[in-house]
Amino acid sequence: MTTLGNPPKFSPIPGMPDGKPAGTRCVQLTDDNRCAIFGRPERPAVCASLRAEPAMCGMDRVHALAWLARLEAATATR
């Protein structure tokens, strides 16, 4: 599994000043699940540092979302 290194406890996101808790939908996701601030300076570094790879994406959306859920669980504040 790809790791995020030592991610900060939170990364402020426009509209989510205290960060995005694990399991919470990012307010910057559009209805078609695209990042509304992709490529913009206000996009958090932690988002930009996530690099998708074949093992993460798998063959379908279900696999990719399960992978992301495991990453969120692994980095959740306890």
Side-chain angles (χ1 to χ4, degrees), residues 1 55-56 62-76:
M1 175 187 276
M56 173 187 266
V62 171
H63 177 94
L65 290 176
W67 190 286
L68 288 173
R70 287 193 305 272
L71 282 177
E72 282 204 339
T75 60

Side-chain angles (χ1 to χ4, degrees), residues 7-40:
K9 293 292 181 198
F10 71 89
S11 292
I13 297 171
M16 301 181 98
D18 295 324
K20 188 193 84 55
T24 301
R25 182 176 171 81
C26 178
V27 299
Q28 294 300 332
L29 284 178
T30 62
D31 290 340
D32 61 351
N33 293 317
R34 296 182 185 271
C35 178
I37 57 174
F38 187 85
R40 295 174 55 184

